[in-house]
Amino acid sequence: MKKKTIVITLVAVSSVLGLYFGITSGGSGSSHNSNKVKEAEEPIQQPVPLDAYVSIDGSVRYQTVDNFGASDAWSMDPIGKHWTDENKNRVADLLFSREKGIGLSAWRFNIGAGSAETDQTIIPDPWRQAEAFKMSEDDDYDWSKQKGQQWFLQAAKARGVDTLIAFVNSPPVWMTKNGHAQPDMSVGSTNLKEGYEDKFATYLIDVLAHFRQEGLDFTYISPINEPTWDWNQAHQEGNRYNNDDLKRVILELYRQIKESGFDVQISAPDGVEITSLLDDEYYQRFAGGEQYTGGANSLGTGKYREYIKDLLGAPDLKEAIGNKIASHSYWSDYSKPGDDRLGELRELLVDNMKKYDADAKYWVTEYCILGDYGPGRDLGMTPALHVARTIHFDLTKANAAAWQWWTAVSKVDYKDGLIYTDFNKEGDEQNILTSKIMWTLGNYSKFLRPGAERISLSGLDEHSRSGLLGSAYIHAGEQTVTAVFINDSEEDKRIRISLEGVDKNHSIAMMESYITSDSHDLARGEDVPTLEDHSFEATIPAKSVVTLTGGGAEGTVEANDDMESEVTKKMNAENGNSGSDEEAVQRAKEALQVYNINNVKGHLNLPVIGDNGTKIIWKSGNPKVITESGEVMRPKYGNGDVSVALTATISKNGVTAVKVFNAVVIAQPVQEDYAGYLFSYFTGEGTPEGEQVYFALSEGNDPLHWKELNGGKPVLLSTMGEKGVRDPFMIRSPEGDRFYMIATDLKINGDWNWDRAQRQGSRSIVVWESNDLVKWSEPRMVEISPKEAGNTWAPEVFYDETTGEYIVFWASKLFADETHTGDAHQKIMYSKTRDFRVFTEAQEYIDFGYSIIDTTMISHKGKIYRFTKDERDNQPLSPYGKMIFQESMDSVFDPDYQMIKEGVGSIKGVEGPTVFKSNTEEKWYLFVDEFGGRGYVPLETTDLDSGVWNISPQYDLPNSPRHGTVIPITKTEYDAIKTKYLLNR
């Protein structure tokens, strides 16, 4: 598998308020900010005066960022059908990859209405026609339609886009009054047939269900697009809905979503412009007129305005749309005397929404440049700066939580695309032209990831609506502070930035800069050093957009393809190579991992790559923490933390690149005796929330009596992938002060399709991290199984003391190829990691020729004891089927393992074994999950080698615990968990 994230860990720790660091700055890396060596006889240049003093305050928070995205309408279908895989992947990388492109975090998929078959004369451009999955009420679904769009949908998910949005321009043509995918004057208020709201909703649910079976879960469904517009005989698919029409569609779709059990939210109303959203009184304050009269409001067929009032102001509609108003940002990208759309209009929008709910959320779900400035393709910075200003004011004045561009790829002479092509039909040249608009969007989308919060940035003149603009963001999960600056003036702007609301006793060594300008495409600039007062200075070049970002997850800085690019460019320049050695660069990226330093805690092995490949050599300013073998060791408890400067020397073919990273190695924690146990588990697929992570706390050191935590509700929730997790496994780091939780990415409730789960299931696991078992990181998904795998079940971990690596193992059905057809059985796979972010390529661990699952291990006195479920049916030829067997071995990969016992405990119909040692005596407990009966049943033994396990005589386990983990905990940990989940309920 590809290793997508390489991290270098720096000094940064989290606080209650957010991040602890002091940031710095410097040059942007552009031609406007280069520092060439002066001749000795030239006079000394005086410092350039500052243009602005900017203050960023991390304690003042605004909206949380949900995503940045774009739509596939309609170009992705012909491109996906007719282009080569190489060119399709180039487009997908540009749009979705954080390493190779702009890293969009949302993708809008258009569910077509069938105009490609019925409306070829009304919509003459084939690129604006769309297929439908069903062309008549009696037809079967044809899931081969929209094939090109489906390719890019899969490509988006494969590159980490986890917010998928399905949107509809028109109902299928067989549901429309005139049989076309756009209305005319004869259809009245809407083109949807009277009484067809239920059929329309069912159609959308069927589409969502199909894609879910394909492993593509849509987070949102937008059933209506720009209901305000009249759409009469438009040259594209569209439909109008007056407010009564709109309400009927939304409420019926919401009813069916609840009945179906789908975890999908309705996005509405997707109005054409901000002014159409406003209550009449707010519109009058802005425009002077009594009410909005645009679009279909002139037809006399009802009301097509006041969406905030009619959706947020009605409890049933507010519930259906999830408290969120979605709209397009057209004709809101300018401010003129008496018509301040960038500022005043957006401020009125926020006030209007707060009238109904202080926590209402606003999404921009579509934008491109329209109006007089729209015509004419322009790949340069002038339209990019126009778009950047629009994004800025949508984020800072309208508090937009999401911002999505219209069409990702365009072939027309208009300012509506991120990428352009001159390709028109099959056989044409498949050229790819990137625009500065795309790279400018990347200044936001690549760095402001879902979960980032906008924070205060002051000191710039927002009222000018041009010149120098800026906004700042903090991401607790990725531990970053990011600022985006737009310089729309003709002169460079030199600014000093102070950071408030954080602990300045901890600092990072630099900020990274990324610039989009006439000469740069989101290019990495020079790193910006910290000043003594913990502020930093930066020059924002004229006519540019610059992103400054610092920090990283658990104090990490990503070294991914930025490092790859930096090293490769140096190698190419000095060697005269025309291209990079992909394998060597990948190995360099692997070698650049620094594991478990500072807050991650732990030691790290710094590998040296073989003589013929790329090498990494590490040196330290403090040799006490770096051994001769290249291992960074943590000081013992009481010796204090140690600061180090790590120098990475990357060499290939005699060419060398050097990069220095400052780090702090945290001393080992104090050792405490164990005082209890923590039990993590799920409760089954029988309830919508059963497939999440639950906790229970033992009654002191008694592992057979438990109290459910958090009121019996889940403690950790997965909001990604399949939106459910099973088989949670928890492990403590060898130093003791770091915990990792991993789980199966799987939700059966509402789907109930076990065959799908094993053929087209997730190939990823879900990961959480914690320092104290109370505060957990946001979940993240890591793809660990190969493409031939149909599932990734019951992941567990064993720490290998001999190598300092975590061995992650799980069960997968491995099919002959990526189609996942034919027969296959479950094998136990494994991968190695040191940080639960980067994993080695998956390998087979155990294959008995028939299905086995749920392997778990424990070590004792130099031996390893392994427990696994025999997945075969229990019958004469397999008498221990659906039972647990126990083995012993001298090491994790010992080929001479010994079978100790088949049919452990003589209990049939069990799975999910979890094994742990008593805190107080020489006794071991094996909990086995009786999946068709009692749930977990505790077994115990005083001799691991005997294979004799007896059911514990008395026990009181939590309600319905299923496959999970029990770990011992200290009194400090026990008291903290009890305080949070029991005493403070």
Side-chain angles (χ1 to χ4, degrees), residues 295-332:
N297 284 288
S298 62
L299 297 180
T301 54
K303 177 182 173 182
Y304 299 83
R305 67 181 199 284
E306 288 198 304
Y307 297 113
I308 296 174
K309 173 191 289 185
D310 285 359
L311 293 180
L312 291 186
D316 55 347
L317 270 301
K318 182 178 178 180
E319 178 186 344
I321 66 170
N323 212 35
K324 175 176 68 68
I325 291 291
S327 181
H328 302 170
S329 207
Y330 294 122
W331 303 297
S332 66

Short mmCIF file of all heavy atoms in Angstrom, two decimals, residues 295-332:
data_model
loop_
_atom_site.label_atom_id
_atom_site.label_comp_id
_atom_site.label_asym_id
_atom_site.label_seq_id
_atom_site.Cartn_x
_atom_site.Cartn_y
_atom_site.Cartn_z
N GLY A 295 -35.75 35.56 -10.33
CA GLY A 295 -36.08 34.21 -10.76
C GLY A 295 -37.56 33.99 -10.96
O GLY A 295 -38.27 34.79 -11.59
N ALA A 296 -38.08 32.89 -10.42
CA ALA A 296 -39.47 32.48 -10.66
C ALA A 296 -40.49 33.29 -9.87
O ALA A 296 -41.69 33.07 -10.02
CB ALA A 296 -39.62 31.00 -10.32
N ASN A 297 -40.03 34.23 -9.03
CA ASN A 297 -40.99 35.04 -8.27
C ASN A 297 -41.88 35.88 -9.19
O ASN A 297 -42.95 36.33 -8.77
CB ASN A 297 -40.24 35.95 -7.29
CG ASN A 297 -39.73 35.19 -6.08
OD1 ASN A 297 -40.49 34.79 -5.21
ND2 ASN A 297 -38.42 34.98 -6.04
N SER A 298 -41.45 36.08 -10.43
CA SER A 298 -42.23 36.89 -11.37
C SER A 298 -43.27 36.06 -12.13
O SER A 298 -44.05 36.62 -12.91
CB SER A 298 -41.30 37.56 -12.37
OG SER A 298 -40.60 36.59 -13.14
N LEU A 299 -43.30 34.74 -11.90
CA LEU A 299 -44.21 33.89 -12.67
C LEU A 299 -45.62 33.86 -12.11
O LEU A 299 -46.55 33.38 -12.79
CB LEU A 299 -43.67 32.45 -12.71
CG LEU A 299 -42.30 32.24 -13.39
CD1 LEU A 299 -41.92 30.77 -13.34
CD2 LEU A 299 -42.33 32.74 -14.83
N GLY A 300 -45.80 34.30 -10.90
CA GLY A 300 -47.13 34.24 -10.29
C GLY A 300 -47.54 32.84 -9.88
O GLY A 300 -48.74 32.54 -9.80
N THR A 301 -46.56 31.96 -9.62
CA THR A 301 -46.88 30.57 -9.26
C THR A 301 -46.47 30.25 -7.82
O THR A 301 -46.30 29.08 -7.47
CB THR A 301 -46.16 29.59 -10.22
OG1 THR A 301 -44.76 29.88 -10.24
CG2 THR A 301 -46.72 29.71 -11.62
N GLY A 302 -46.34 31.26 -7.00
CA GLY A 302 -46.02 31.03 -5.60
C GLY A 302 -44.79 31.80 -5.16
O GLY A 302 -44.27 32.67 -5.86
N LYS A 303 -44.33 31.46 -4.00
CA LYS A 303 -43.23 32.15 -3.33
C LYS A 303 -41.93 31.37 -3.53
O LYS A 303 -41.85 30.18 -3.25
CB LYS A 303 -43.56 32.27 -1.84
CG LYS A 303 -42.49 32.88 -0.97
CD LYS A 303 -42.98 32.86 0.48
CE LYS A 303 -41.90 33.31 1.44
NZ LYS A 303 -42.38 33.23 2.84
N TYR A 304 -40.89 32.09 -3.98
CA TYR A 304 -39.58 31.49 -4.23
C TYR A 304 -38.51 32.33 -3.52
O TYR A 304 -37.55 32.79 -4.12
CB TYR A 304 -39.28 31.44 -5.72
CG TYR A 304 -40.24 30.62 -6.55
CD1 TYR A 304 -41.44 31.17 -6.99
CD2 TYR A 304 -39.96 29.31 -6.91
CE1 TYR A 304 -42.33 30.44 -7.77
CE2 TYR A 304 -40.83 28.57 -7.69
CZ TYR A 304 -42.02 29.14 -8.12
OH TYR A 304 -42.89 28.41 -8.90
N ARG A 305 -38.67 32.53 -2.23
CA ARG A 305 -37.75 33.38 -1.47
C ARG A 305 -37.95 33.08 0.03
O ARG A 305 -38.69 32.16 0.37
CB ARG A 305 -38.03 34.86 -1.76
CG ARG A 305 -39.36 35.36 -1.25
CD ARG A 305 -39.64 36.81 -1.55
NE ARG A 305 -40.67 37.34 -0.69
CZ ARG A 305 -41.97 37.10 -0.82
NH1 ARG A 305 -42.40 36.33 -1.82
NH2 ARG A 305 -42.83 37.60 0.04
N GLU A 306 -37.29 33.85 0.87
CA GLU A 306 -37.40 33.74 2.34
C GLU A 306 -37.15 32.31 2.83
O GLU A 306 -37.88 31.77 3.65
CB GLU A 306 -38.79 34.21 2.82
CG GLU A 306 -38.98 35.72 2.75
CD GLU A 306 -40.14 36.19 3.61
OE1 GLU A 306 -41.27 35.67 3.42
OE2 GLU A 306 -39.93 37.04 4.48
N TYR A 307 -36.06 31.71 2.34
CA TYR A 307 -35.78 30.32 2.71
C TYR A 307 -35.36 30.18 4.17
O TYR A 307 -35.61 29.15 4.80
CB TYR A 307 -34.71 29.74 1.78
CG TYR A 307 -35.16 29.69 0.34
CD1 TYR A 307 -34.57 30.48 -0.63
CD2 TYR A 307 -36.20 28.84 -0.04
CE1 TYR A 307 -34.99 30.43 -1.95
CE2 TYR A 307 -36.63 28.79 -1.36
CZ TYR A 307 -36.02 29.59 -2.31
OH TYR A 307 -36.45 29.54 -3.62
N ILE A 308 -34.69 31.19 4.71
CA ILE A 308 -34.29 31.10 6.12
C ILE A 308 -35.52 31.01 7.00
O ILE A 308 -35.62 30.14 7.88
CB ILE A 308 -33.42 32.32 6.50
CG1 ILE A 308 -32.11 32.32 5.72
CG2 ILE A 308 -33.15 32.33 8.00
CD1 ILE A 308 -31.26 33.55 5.93
N LYS A 309 -36.48 31.89 6.78
CA LYS A 309 -37.71 31.89 7.59
C LYS A 309 -38.48 30.59 7.43
O LYS A 309 -38.91 29.97 8.41
CB LYS A 309 -38.60 33.07 7.20
CG LYS A 309 -39.97 33.05 7.88
CD LYS A 309 -40.92 34.08 7.28
CE LYS A 309 -40.51 35.48 7.65
NZ LYS A 309 -41.50 36.49 7.17
N ASP A 310 -38.64 30.15 6.18
CA ASP A 310 -39.52 29.01 5.94
C ASP A 310 -38.87 27.66 6.25
O ASP A 310 -39.57 26.65 6.38
CB ASP A 310 -39.99 29.02 4.47
CG ASP A 310 -41.05 30.09 4.24
OD1 ASP A 310 -41.41 30.78 5.21
OD2 ASP A 310 -41.50 30.24 3.09
N LEU A 311 -37.55 27.63 6.40
CA LEU A 311 -36.88 26.38 6.77
C LEU A 311 -36.45 26.38 8.24
O LEU A 311 -36.84 25.50 9.00
CB LEU A 311 -35.67 26.13 5.86
CG LEU A 311 -36.00 25.85 4.39
CD1 LEU A 311 -34.72 25.63 3.59
CD2 LEU A 311 -36.91 24.65 4.23
N LEU A 312 -35.67 27.37 8.65
CA LEU A 312 -35.24 27.41 10.04
C LEU A 312 -36.37 27.82 10.98
O LEU A 312 -36.36 27.47 12.16
CB LEU A 312 -34.07 28.39 10.21
CG LEU A 312 -32.74 27.99 9.59
CD1 LEU A 312 -31.66 28.99 9.97
CD2 LEU A 312 -32.32 26.59 9.99
N GLY A 313 -37.35 28.56 10.44
CA GLY A 313 -38.45 29.03 11.28
C GLY A 313 -39.55 28.02 11.50
O GLY A 313 -40.45 28.26 12.30
N ALA A 314 -39.50 26.89 10.81
CA ALA A 314 -40.51 25.84 10.97
C ALA A 314 -39.84 24.64 11.62
O ALA A 314 -38.91 24.06 11.06
CB ALA A 314 -41.09 25.45 9.62
N PRO A 315 -40.29 24.21 12.82
CA PRO A 315 -39.60 23.13 13.54
C PRO A 315 -39.42 21.85 12.74
O PRO A 315 -38.37 21.22 12.81
CB PRO A 315 -40.51 22.91 14.76
CG PRO A 315 -41.18 24.23 14.97
CD PRO A 315 -41.41 24.78 13.59
N ASP A 316 -40.44 21.43 11.97
CA ASP A 316 -40.31 20.18 11.24
C ASP A 316 -39.29 20.31 10.11
O ASP A 316 -38.51 19.38 9.85
CB ASP A 316 -41.66 19.72 10.70
CG ASP A 316 -42.36 20.78 9.85
OD1 ASP A 316 -41.93 21.96 9.87
OD2 ASP A 316 -43.36 20.43 9.18
N LEU A 317 -39.28 21.46 9.43
CA LEU A 317 -38.29 21.66 8.36
C LEU A 317 -36.90 21.83 8.94
O LEU A 317 -35.91 21.32 8.38
CB LEU A 317 -38.67 22.88 7.52
CG LEU A 317 -39.59 22.69 6.30
CD1 LEU A 317 -38.98 21.72 5.30
CD2 LEU A 317 -40.96 22.20 6.72
N LYS A 318 -36.80 22.53 10.05
CA LYS A 318 -35.51 22.73 10.70
C LYS A 318 -34.89 21.39 11.11
O LYS A 318 -33.70 21.16 10.95
CB LYS A 318 -35.68 23.63 11.91
CG LYS A 318 -34.39 23.96 12.65
CD LYS A 318 -34.70 24.90 13.81
CE LYS A 318 -33.46 25.22 14.60
NZ LYS A 318 -33.76 26.13 15.74
N GLU A 319 -35.72 20.51 11.63
CA GLU A 319 -35.24 19.17 11.98
C GLU A 319 -34.78 18.41 10.74
O GLU A 319 -33.75 17.73 10.74
CB GLU A 319 -36.35 18.39 12.69
CG GLU A 319 -35.96 16.96 13.04
CD GLU A 319 -37.11 16.16 13.61
OE1 GLU A 319 -38.12 16.76 14.01
OE2 GLU A 319 -37.00 14.91 13.64
N ALA A 320 -35.52 18.55 9.65
CA ALA A 320 -35.22 17.80 8.44
C ALA A 320 -33.90 18.21 7.81
O ALA A 320 -33.17 17.37 7.27
CB ALA A 320 -36.36 17.94 7.43
N ILE A 321 -33.57 19.51 7.85
CA ILE A 321 -32.35 19.97 7.19
C ILE A 321 -31.17 20.07 8.14
O ILE A 321 -30.09 20.53 7.76
CB ILE A 321 -32.56 21.33 6.49
CG1 ILE A 321 -32.84 22.43 7.52
CG2 ILE A 321 -33.68 21.23 5.46
CD1 ILE A 321 -32.83 23.82 6.92
N GLY A 322 -31.39 19.67 9.38
CA GLY A 322 -30.27 19.62 10.31
C GLY A 322 -29.70 20.96 10.67
O GLY A 322 -28.49 21.09 10.88
N ASN A 323 -30.53 22.00 10.74
CA ASN A 323 -30.08 23.29 11.25
C ASN A 323 -29.10 24.00 10.32
O ASN A 323 -28.39 24.90 10.74
CB ASN A 323 -29.41 23.09 12.61
CG ASN A 323 -29.60 24.26 13.52
OD1 ASN A 323 -30.65 24.90 13.48
ND2 ASN A 323 -28.63 24.55 14.35
N LYS A 324 -29.02 23.59 9.06
CA LYS A 324 -28.03 24.11 8.12
C LYS A 324 -28.71 24.72 6.91
O LYS A 324 -29.57 24.09 6.30
CB LYS A 324 -27.07 23.01 7.68
CG LYS A 324 -26.06 23.43 6.62
CD LYS A 324 -25.08 22.33 6.30
CE LYS A 324 -25.72 21.16 5.61
NZ LYS A 324 -26.17 21.50 4.25
N ILE A 325 -28.30 25.93 6.55
CA ILE A 325 -28.77 26.56 5.32
C ILE A 325 -27.66 26.47 4.28
O ILE A 325 -26.54 26.94 4.51
CB ILE A 325 -29.15 28.03 5.56
CG1 ILE A 325 -30.41 28.12 6.42
CG2 ILE A 325 -29.35 28.76 4.24
CD1 ILE A 325 -31.68 27.66 5.73
N ALA A 326 -27.97 25.85 3.15
CA ALA A 326 -27.02 25.73 2.05
C ALA A 326 -27.45 26.67 0.93
O ALA A 326 -28.63 26.76 0.60
CB ALA A 326 -26.98 24.29 1.53
N SER A 327 -26.49 27.37 0.36
CA SER A 327 -26.83 28.31 -0.71
C SER A 327 -25.64 28.51 -1.62
O SER A 327 -24.51 28.16 -1.28
CB SER A 327 -27.27 29.66 -0.13
OG SER A 327 -27.61 30.56 -1.16
N HIS A 328 -25.91 29.07 -2.76
CA HIS A 328 -24.86 29.43 -3.70
C HIS A 328 -24.47 30.89 -3.49
O HIS A 328 -25.24 31.66 -2.92
CB HIS A 328 -25.34 29.18 -5.12
CG HIS A 328 -25.74 27.75 -5.36
ND1 HIS A 328 -26.39 27.32 -6.49
CD2 HIS A 328 -25.59 26.64 -4.58
CE1 HIS A 328 -26.62 26.02 -6.41
NE2 HIS A 328 -26.14 25.59 -5.25
N SER A 329 -23.28 31.22 -3.92
CA SER A 329 -22.73 32.54 -3.62
C SER A 329 -22.62 33.40 -4.89
O SER A 329 -21.79 34.29 -4.96
CB SER A 329 -21.35 32.40 -2.95
OG SER A 329 -21.06 33.50 -2.14
N TYR A 330 -23.47 33.12 -5.85
CA TYR A 330 -23.44 33.89 -7.09
C TYR A 330 -23.85 35.34 -6.84
O TYR A 330 -24.66 35.65 -5.97
CB TYR A 330 -24.36 33.26 -8.13
CG TYR A 330 -23.91 31.89 -8.58
CD1 TYR A 330 -24.72 30.77 -8.44
CD2 TYR A 330 -22.64 31.70 -9.15
CE1 TYR A 330 -24.31 29.51 -8.86
CE2 TYR A 330 -22.22 30.45 -9.56
CZ TYR A 330 -23.04 29.36 -9.41
OH TYR A 330 -22.62 28.12 -9.81
N TRP A 331 -23.28 36.21 -7.64
CA TRP A 331 -23.58 37.65 -7.61
C TRP A 331 -23.40 38.26 -6.22
O TRP A 331 -24.03 39.25 -5.86
CB TRP A 331 -25.02 37.91 -8.11
CG TRP A 331 -25.24 37.38 -9.48
CD1 TRP A 331 -24.62 37.76 -10.63
CD2 TRP A 331 -26.13 36.33 -9.85
NE1 TRP A 331 -25.05 37.02 -11.69
CE2 TRP A 331 -26.00 36.13 -11.25
CE3 TRP A 331 -27.04 35.54 -9.16
CZ2 TRP A 331 -26.74 35.19 -11.95
CZ3 TRP A 331 -27.78 34.60 -9.84
CH2 TRP A 331 -27.61 34.43 -11.22
N SER A 332 -22.49 37.67 -5.46
CA SER A 332 -22.19 38.22 -4.14
C SER A 332 -20.71 38.54 -4.02
O SER A 332 -20.18 38.68 -2.93
CB SER A 332 -22.58 37.21 -3.05
OG SER A 332 -21.76 36.06 -3.14
#
